[in-house]
Amino acid sequence: MTNAQILAACRSNWEYRGVDGASLREMLDELSAHLEDAEAAGRTAQDVVGRDVRAFAASWARARAPLSRRVPRTVAMACFAAGWLLLGAYLIRWTTVVDVTAGLLAFWLATGTATVAWELRRGSIGLRKSWLVGLALGLPAAVLASWLAGDGVLFPLPLWAPPLLLLPGLPYAVADARAARRGRRKPEAEAEAEAPD
């Protein structure tokens, strides 16, 4: 297995396990440096990662981002996404209060729970899959709740609710955006350094 294949296998494993973007880049940089050092010393990549690359990646992911650290981040990011969607509902209706019905509440609870569970188990769900989860789980839950409880308003949700949902995920979103920017700048800087004068 080449160094590039090992890095790609580890990257996909870490994304699958929900390692955040900043940690993922650090881990890839560190592994790349170890592989290059081993190659320069005349050792093989197998000496660094062992025979099973997936087992190596999984053990490193568990050590670097244990479940106890991933749960708060995932829940905060789910609240962050819900806050933006809720804010969109206020803007579309051009109102300061959204009426919450049993169907709407069941839709968001089913979709949110499934998305958080997926993120914790397998990593980032992505936009297309989140819409599929919403249709496959959230829509039947909404229809069933509306059928059982009716279409009456459970409670009004004031305009201060979206910022309250956005707040816990804001530090994570900022950290991810900064890590992505640093990740994009690094290859550019390396390319400039390697360019002939």
Side-chain angles (χ1 to χ4, degrees), residues 98-152:
V98 169
D99 293 329
V100 177
T101 62
L104 185 63
L105 187 62
F107 174 82
W108 289 113
L109 286 175
T111 304
T113 302
T115 302
V116 167
W118 184 287
E119 291 264 348
L120 288 174
R121 179 76 179 120
R122 298 185 176 257
S124 179
I125 190 169
L127 188 60
R128 287 183 186 164
K129 287 182 184 172
S130 66
W131 283 108
L132 288 175
V133 166
L135 291 173
L137 296 175
L139 201 54
V143 170
L144 182 63
S146 291
W147 182 65
L148 292 174
D151 288 334

Short mmCIF file of all heavy atoms in Angstrom, two decimals, residues 98-152:
data_model
loop_
_atom_site.label_atom_id
_atom_site.label_comp_id
_atom_site.label_asym_id
_atom_site.label_seq_id
_atom_site.Cartn_x
_atom_site.Cartn_y
_atom_site.Cartn_z
N VAL A 98 -43.45 31.72 15.37
CA VAL A 98 -43.81 30.55 14.57
C VAL A 98 -44.65 29.64 15.46
O VAL A 98 -44.27 29.34 16.60
CB VAL A 98 -42.55 29.79 14.07
CG1 VAL A 98 -42.92 28.46 13.48
CG2 VAL A 98 -41.81 30.63 13.05
N ASP A 99 -45.79 29.22 14.95
CA ASP A 99 -46.66 28.31 15.70
C ASP A 99 -46.19 26.88 15.50
O ASP A 99 -46.07 26.40 14.38
CB ASP A 99 -48.11 28.45 15.21
CG ASP A 99 -48.69 29.81 15.55
OD1 ASP A 99 -48.29 30.38 16.57
OD2 ASP A 99 -49.55 30.29 14.78
N VAL A 100 -45.92 26.20 16.60
CA VAL A 100 -45.43 24.82 16.56
C VAL A 100 -46.60 23.87 16.75
O VAL A 100 -47.32 23.94 17.75
CB VAL A 100 -44.36 24.58 17.66
CG1 VAL A 100 -43.91 23.14 17.66
CG2 VAL A 100 -43.18 25.52 17.45
N THR A 101 -46.77 22.97 15.77
CA THR A 101 -47.82 21.95 15.84
C THR A 101 -47.18 20.60 16.19
O THR A 101 -45.96 20.46 16.15
CB THR A 101 -48.56 21.83 14.50
OG1 THR A 101 -47.61 21.41 13.50
CG2 THR A 101 -49.18 23.15 14.08
N ALA A 102 -48.01 19.63 16.50
CA ALA A 102 -47.50 18.29 16.84
C ALA A 102 -46.75 17.68 15.66
O ALA A 102 -45.71 17.05 15.84
CB ALA A 102 -48.65 17.39 17.27
N GLY A 103 -47.26 17.88 14.45
CA GLY A 103 -46.61 17.33 13.26
C GLY A 103 -45.24 17.94 13.03
O GLY A 103 -44.27 17.24 12.74
N LEU A 104 -45.15 19.27 13.17
CA LEU A 104 -43.87 19.95 12.99
C LEU A 104 -42.86 19.51 14.05
O LEU A 104 -41.70 19.23 13.74
CB LEU A 104 -44.08 21.47 13.05
CG LEU A 104 -42.88 22.35 12.77
CD1 LEU A 104 -42.40 22.14 11.33
CD2 LEU A 104 -43.22 23.81 13.00
N LEU A 105 -43.31 19.42 15.28
CA LEU A 105 -42.42 19.00 16.36
C LEU A 105 -41.95 17.56 16.16
O LEU A 105 -40.76 17.26 16.32
CB LEU A 105 -43.15 19.13 17.71
CG LEU A 105 -42.32 18.89 18.96
CD1 LEU A 105 -41.20 19.92 19.06
CD2 LEU A 105 -43.20 18.96 20.20
N ALA A 106 -42.84 16.66 15.75
CA ALA A 106 -42.47 15.26 15.51
C ALA A 106 -41.49 15.16 14.35
O ALA A 106 -40.53 14.38 14.39
CB ALA A 106 -43.72 14.43 15.22
N PHE A 107 -41.69 15.96 13.29
CA PHE A 107 -40.78 15.96 12.14
C PHE A 107 -39.37 16.31 12.58
O PHE A 107 -38.41 15.61 12.26
CB PHE A 107 -41.28 16.94 11.07
CG PHE A 107 -40.32 17.09 9.92
CD1 PHE A 107 -40.33 16.17 8.90
CD2 PHE A 107 -39.40 18.14 9.88
CE1 PHE A 107 -39.44 16.29 7.83
CE2 PHE A 107 -38.52 18.27 8.83
CZ PHE A 107 -38.53 17.34 7.80
N TRP A 108 -39.22 17.42 13.32
CA TRP A 108 -37.89 17.87 13.72
C TRP A 108 -37.25 16.95 14.74
O TRP A 108 -36.04 16.73 14.70
CB TRP A 108 -37.93 19.32 14.22
CG TRP A 108 -38.17 20.26 13.09
CD1 TRP A 108 -39.27 21.03 12.88
CD2 TRP A 108 -37.32 20.48 11.97
NE1 TRP A 108 -39.15 21.72 11.71
CE2 TRP A 108 -37.96 21.41 11.12
CE3 TRP A 108 -36.07 20.00 11.59
CZ2 TRP A 108 -37.40 21.86 9.94
CZ3 TRP A 108 -35.52 20.46 10.41
CH2 TRP A 108 -36.17 21.37 9.60
N LEU A 109 -38.03 16.41 15.66
CA LEU A 109 -37.46 15.47 16.64
C LEU A 109 -36.98 14.19 15.98
O LEU A 109 -35.88 13.71 16.27
CB LEU A 109 -38.48 15.16 17.74
CG LEU A 109 -38.72 16.26 18.77
CD1 LEU A 109 -39.84 15.86 19.72
CD2 LEU A 109 -37.44 16.55 19.53
N ALA A 110 -37.78 13.64 15.07
CA ALA A 110 -37.38 12.40 14.39
C ALA A 110 -36.16 12.63 13.50
O ALA A 110 -35.20 11.86 13.53
CB ALA A 110 -38.54 11.85 13.57
N THR A 111 -36.20 13.71 12.73
CA THR A 111 -35.08 14.01 11.83
C THR A 111 -33.81 14.33 12.62
O THR A 111 -32.73 13.84 12.30
CB THR A 111 -35.43 15.20 10.91
OG1 THR A 111 -36.63 14.88 10.20
CG2 THR A 111 -34.32 15.48 9.92
N GLY A 112 -33.93 15.15 13.65
CA GLY A 112 -32.78 15.53 14.48
C GLY A 112 -32.17 14.34 15.19
O GLY A 112 -30.95 14.17 15.22
N THR A 113 -33.00 13.49 15.77
CA THR A 113 -32.50 12.32 16.48
C THR A 113 -31.77 11.37 15.53
O THR A 113 -30.67 10.89 15.84
CB THR A 113 -33.66 11.57 17.17
OG1 THR A 113 -34.32 12.47 18.06
CG2 THR A 113 -33.17 10.38 17.95
N ALA A 114 -32.35 11.13 14.37
CA ALA A 114 -31.71 10.24 13.39
C ALA A 114 -30.40 10.83 12.89
O ALA A 114 -29.40 10.12 12.74
CB ALA A 114 -32.65 9.97 12.23
N THR A 115 -30.38 12.14 12.64
CA THR A 115 -29.17 12.79 12.14
C THR A 115 -28.05 12.74 13.17
O THR A 115 -26.91 12.42 12.85
CB THR A 115 -29.47 14.25 11.75
OG1 THR A 115 -30.51 14.26 10.77
CG2 THR A 115 -28.24 14.93 11.19
N VAL A 116 -28.38 13.05 14.43
CA VAL A 116 -27.36 13.01 15.49
C VAL A 116 -26.84 11.59 15.68
O VAL A 116 -25.63 11.37 15.80
CB VAL A 116 -27.92 13.58 16.81
CG1 VAL A 116 -27.01 13.28 17.99
CG2 VAL A 116 -28.12 15.09 16.69
N ALA A 117 -27.74 10.61 15.68
CA ALA A 117 -27.31 9.21 15.83
C ALA A 117 -26.40 8.81 14.68
O ALA A 117 -25.38 8.14 14.89
CB ALA A 117 -28.53 8.29 15.89
N TRP A 118 -26.74 9.20 13.45
CA TRP A 118 -25.91 8.89 12.28
C TRP A 118 -24.54 9.55 12.40
O TRP A 118 -23.52 8.95 12.14
CB TRP A 118 -26.61 9.35 11.01
CG TRP A 118 -25.87 8.99 9.76
CD1 TRP A 118 -24.73 9.56 9.29
CD2 TRP A 118 -26.20 7.97 8.82
NE1 TRP A 118 -24.34 8.99 8.11
CE2 TRP A 118 -25.22 8.00 7.81
CE3 TRP A 118 -27.23 7.04 8.74
CZ2 TRP A 118 -25.25 7.14 6.73
CZ3 TRP A 118 -27.25 6.19 7.65
CH2 TRP A 118 -26.27 6.24 6.67
N GLU A 119 -24.54 10.83 12.79
CA GLU A 119 -23.27 11.58 12.91
C GLU A 119 -22.36 10.92 13.94
O GLU A 119 -21.16 10.82 13.74
CB GLU A 119 -23.54 13.03 13.32
CG GLU A 119 -24.21 13.85 12.26
CD GLU A 119 -23.26 14.66 11.42
OE1 GLU A 119 -22.09 14.77 11.79
OE2 GLU A 119 -23.70 15.17 10.39
N LEU A 120 -22.93 10.50 15.07
CA LEU A 120 -22.12 9.89 16.12
C LEU A 120 -21.58 8.54 15.69
O LEU A 120 -20.47 8.15 16.04
CB LEU A 120 -22.93 9.74 17.41
CG LEU A 120 -23.20 11.03 18.16
CD1 LEU A 120 -24.12 10.76 19.33
CD2 LEU A 120 -21.91 11.68 18.62
N ARG A 121 -22.37 7.80 14.94
CA ARG A 121 -21.97 6.45 14.55
C ARG A 121 -21.05 6.43 13.33
O ARG A 121 -20.08 5.73 13.27
CB ARG A 121 -23.24 5.64 14.25
CG ARG A 121 -22.98 4.23 13.82
CD ARG A 121 -22.61 3.37 15.00
NE ARG A 121 -22.39 2.03 14.54
CZ ARG A 121 -21.25 1.38 14.69
NH1 ARG A 121 -20.24 1.95 15.28
NH2 ARG A 121 -21.11 0.16 14.24
N ARG A 122 -21.39 7.23 12.31
CA ARG A 122 -20.70 7.11 11.03
C ARG A 122 -20.00 8.37 10.56
O ARG A 122 -19.35 8.36 9.55
CB ARG A 122 -21.70 6.69 9.95
CG ARG A 122 -22.30 5.35 10.22
CD ARG A 122 -23.19 4.94 9.07
NE ARG A 122 -23.69 3.61 9.28
CZ ARG A 122 -23.23 2.53 8.68
NH1 ARG A 122 -22.26 2.62 7.83
NH2 ARG A 122 -23.75 1.36 8.92
N GLY A 123 -20.17 9.49 11.22
CA GLY A 123 -19.53 10.72 10.77
C GLY A 123 -20.52 11.60 10.04
O GLY A 123 -21.72 11.43 10.14
N SER A 124 -20.02 12.54 9.28
CA SER A 124 -20.86 13.54 8.63
C SER A 124 -21.89 12.91 7.72
O SER A 124 -21.57 12.06 6.90
CB SER A 124 -19.98 14.50 7.83
OG SER A 124 -20.77 15.45 7.19
N ILE A 125 -23.14 13.36 7.86
CA ILE A 125 -24.22 12.77 7.07
C ILE A 125 -24.35 13.44 5.70
O ILE A 125 -24.78 12.82 4.75
CB ILE A 125 -25.55 12.85 7.86
CG1 ILE A 125 -26.64 12.03 7.18
CG2 ILE A 125 -26.00 14.28 8.04
CD1 ILE A 125 -27.87 11.85 8.00
N GLY A 126 -24.01 14.68 5.58
CA GLY A 126 -24.12 15.37 4.30
C GLY A 126 -25.52 15.89 4.05
O GLY A 126 -26.50 15.43 4.65
N LEU A 127 -25.65 16.84 3.15
CA LEU A 127 -26.92 17.51 2.91
C LEU A 127 -27.94 16.58 2.25
O LEU A 127 -29.10 16.52 2.66
CB LEU A 127 -26.69 18.75 2.05
CG LEU A 127 -27.89 19.66 1.87
CD1 LEU A 127 -28.38 20.16 3.21
CD2 LEU A 127 -27.52 20.82 0.97
N ARG A 128 -27.54 15.84 1.23
CA ARG A 128 -28.49 14.96 0.53
C ARG A 128 -29.04 13.88 1.45
O ARG A 128 -30.24 13.62 1.46
CB ARG A 128 -27.82 14.31 -0.67
CG ARG A 128 -27.60 15.26 -1.81
CD ARG A 128 -27.02 14.55 -2.99
NE ARG A 128 -26.69 15.50 -4.02
CZ ARG A 128 -25.91 15.24 -5.02
NH1 ARG A 128 -25.37 14.06 -5.16
NH2 ARG A 128 -25.66 16.16 -5.93
N LYS A 129 -28.16 13.25 2.21
CA LYS A 129 -28.62 12.19 3.11
C LYS A 129 -29.50 12.75 4.21
O LYS A 129 -30.43 12.08 4.65
CB LYS A 129 -27.43 11.44 3.70
CG LYS A 129 -26.74 10.54 2.71
CD LYS A 129 -25.61 9.79 3.35
CE LYS A 129 -24.86 8.97 2.32
NZ LYS A 129 -23.64 8.37 2.87
N SER A 130 -29.21 13.97 4.68
CA SER A 130 -30.06 14.55 5.73
C SER A 130 -31.47 14.80 5.20
O SER A 130 -32.45 14.62 5.92
CB SER A 130 -29.44 15.83 6.29
OG SER A 130 -29.42 16.84 5.33
N TRP A 131 -31.59 15.20 3.93
CA TRP A 131 -32.92 15.37 3.34
C TRP A 131 -33.61 14.02 3.20
O TRP A 131 -34.82 13.91 3.41
CB TRP A 131 -32.82 16.06 1.99
CG TRP A 131 -32.60 17.53 2.11
CD1 TRP A 131 -31.44 18.20 1.83
CD2 TRP A 131 -33.51 18.51 2.59
NE1 TRP A 131 -31.59 19.53 2.10
CE2 TRP A 131 -32.84 19.76 2.55
CE3 TRP A 131 -34.83 18.47 3.03
CZ2 TRP A 131 -33.47 20.94 2.95
CZ3 TRP A 131 -35.44 19.65 3.42
CH2 TRP A 131 -34.77 20.86 3.38
N LEU A 132 -32.85 12.99 2.84
CA LEU A 132 -33.45 11.65 2.74
C LEU A 132 -33.92 11.16 4.10
O LEU A 132 -34.99 10.56 4.22
CB LEU A 132 -32.44 10.67 2.14
CG LEU A 132 -32.16 10.84 0.65
CD1 LEU A 132 -31.04 9.89 0.21
CD2 LEU A 132 -33.41 10.59 -0.16
N VAL A 133 -33.11 11.42 5.14
CA VAL A 133 -33.52 11.04 6.50
C VAL A 133 -34.79 11.79 6.87
O VAL A 133 -35.72 11.22 7.46
CB VAL A 133 -32.39 11.32 7.51
CG1 VAL A 133 -32.89 11.26 8.94
CG2 VAL A 133 -31.25 10.34 7.32
N GLY A 134 -34.84 13.07 6.53
CA GLY A 134 -36.03 13.86 6.82
C GLY A 134 -37.28 13.31 6.15
O GLY A 134 -38.35 13.25 6.75
N LEU A 135 -37.12 12.89 4.88
CA LEU A 135 -38.27 12.34 4.17
C LEU A 135 -38.63 10.95 4.67
O LEU A 135 -39.80 10.62 4.83
CB LEU A 135 -37.98 12.30 2.67
CG LEU A 135 -37.91 13.66 1.97
CD1 LEU A 135 -37.46 13.47 0.53
CD2 LEU A 135 -39.25 14.36 2.03
N ALA A 136 -37.62 10.13 4.94
CA ALA A 136 -37.88 8.74 5.32
C ALA A 136 -38.38 8.59 6.75
O ALA A 136 -39.21 7.73 7.04
CB ALA A 136 -36.62 7.90 5.12
N LEU A 137 -37.87 9.43 7.67
CA LEU A 137 -38.25 9.30 9.08
C LEU A 137 -39.12 10.46 9.56
O LEU A 137 -40.09 10.26 10.28
CB LEU A 137 -37.01 9.20 9.95
CG LEU A 137 -36.13 7.97 9.73
CD1 LEU A 137 -34.88 8.06 10.58
CD2 LEU A 137 -36.89 6.71 10.06
N GLY A 138 -38.71 11.67 9.20
CA GLY A 138 -39.41 12.85 9.70
C GLY A 138 -40.81 13.00 9.15
O GLY A 138 -41.75 13.33 9.89
N LEU A 139 -40.97 12.77 7.87
CA LEU A 139 -42.28 12.94 7.24
C LEU A 139 -43.33 11.96 7.78
O LEU A 139 -44.43 12.38 8.16
CB LEU A 139 -42.15 12.83 5.72
CG LEU A 139 -43.24 13.45 4.89
CD1 LEU A 139 -43.45 14.91 5.25
CD2 LEU A 139 -42.91 13.32 3.42
N PRO A 140 -43.02 10.66 7.88
CA PRO A 140 -44.01 9.75 8.49
C PRO A 140 -44.31 10.10 9.95
O PRO A 140 -45.45 10.00 10.39
CB PRO A 140 -43.34 8.37 8.39
CG PRO A 140 -42.36 8.49 7.30
CD PRO A 140 -41.90 9.92 7.31
N ALA A 141 -43.28 10.54 10.69
CA ALA A 141 -43.51 10.93 12.08
C ALA A 141 -44.43 12.14 12.15
O ALA A 141 -45.32 12.22 13.01
CB ALA A 141 -42.18 11.24 12.76
N ALA A 142 -44.25 13.10 11.24
CA ALA A 142 -45.09 14.29 11.21
C ALA A 142 -46.54 13.94 10.87
O ALA A 142 -47.48 14.42 11.50
CB ALA A 142 -44.54 15.30 10.21
N VAL A 143 -46.72 13.07 9.88
CA VAL A 143 -48.07 12.66 9.48
C VAL A 143 -48.76 11.91 10.61
O VAL A 143 -49.93 12.18 10.93
CB VAL A 143 -48.01 11.80 8.19
CG1 VAL A 143 -49.35 11.16 7.88
CG2 VAL A 143 -47.54 12.65 7.02
N LEU A 144 -48.04 11.00 11.25
CA LEU A 144 -48.61 10.24 12.36
C LEU A 144 -48.97 11.14 13.54
O LEU A 144 -50.06 11.02 14.12
CB LEU A 144 -47.62 9.15 12.81
CG LEU A 144 -48.09 8.22 13.93
CD1 LEU A 144 -49.31 7.43 13.47
CD2 LEU A 144 -46.97 7.29 14.34
N ALA A 145 -48.08 12.08 13.88
CA ALA A 145 -48.36 12.99 14.99
C ALA A 145 -49.54 13.90 14.68
O ALA A 145 -50.37 14.16 15.55
CB ALA A 145 -47.12 13.82 15.31
N SER A 146 -49.63 14.37 13.44
CA SER A 146 -50.78 15.21 13.05
C SER A 146 -52.08 14.42 13.11
O SER A 146 -53.12 14.94 13.52
CB SER A 146 -50.58 15.77 11.65
OG SER A 146 -49.54 16.71 11.63
N TRP A 147 -52.01 13.17 12.69
CA TRP A 147 -53.20 12.32 12.71
C TRP A 147 -53.65 12.03 14.14
O TRP A 147 -54.83 12.04 14.44
CB TRP A 147 -52.88 11.02 11.97
CG TRP A 147 -54.04 10.08 11.88
CD1 TRP A 147 -55.22 10.27 11.22
CD2 TRP A 147 -54.12 8.80 12.49
NE1 TRP A 147 -56.03 9.17 11.37
CE2 TRP A 147 -55.37 8.25 12.16
CE3 TRP A 147 -53.26 8.06 13.29
CZ2 TRP A 147 -55.77 7.01 12.60
CZ3 TRP A 147 -53.68 6.81 13.71
CH2 TRP A 147 -54.92 6.30 13.37
N LEU A 148 -52.67 11.78 15.04
CA LEU A 148 -53.00 11.46 16.43
C LEU A 148 -53.36 12.69 17.26
O LEU A 148 -54.29 12.65 18.06
CB LEU A 148 -51.83 10.74 17.10
CG LEU A 148 -51.51 9.34 16.59
CD1 LEU A 148 -50.26 8.80 17.24
CD2 LEU A 148 -52.68 8.40 16.85
N ALA A 149 -52.63 13.79 17.09
CA ALA A 149 -52.82 14.96 17.96
C ALA A 149 -53.60 16.08 17.29
O ALA A 149 -53.98 17.04 17.96
CB ALA A 149 -51.46 15.48 18.41
N GLY A 150 -53.79 16.02 15.99
CA GLY A 150 -54.49 17.09 15.29
C GLY A 150 -53.53 18.19 14.85
O GLY A 150 -52.32 18.10 15.05
N ASP A 151 -54.10 19.24 14.28
CA ASP A 151 -53.31 20.34 13.74
C ASP A 151 -53.30 21.56 14.64
O ASP A 151 -52.91 22.64 14.22
CB ASP A 151 -53.82 20.74 12.35
CG ASP A 151 -53.50 19.70 11.30
OD1 ASP A 151 -52.50 18.97 11.50
OD2 ASP A 151 -54.23 19.61 10.30
N GLY A 152 -53.71 21.40 15.88
CA GLY A 152 -53.73 22.53 16.81
C GLY A 152 -52.32 23.01 17.17
O GLY A 152 -51.35 22.24 17.13
#
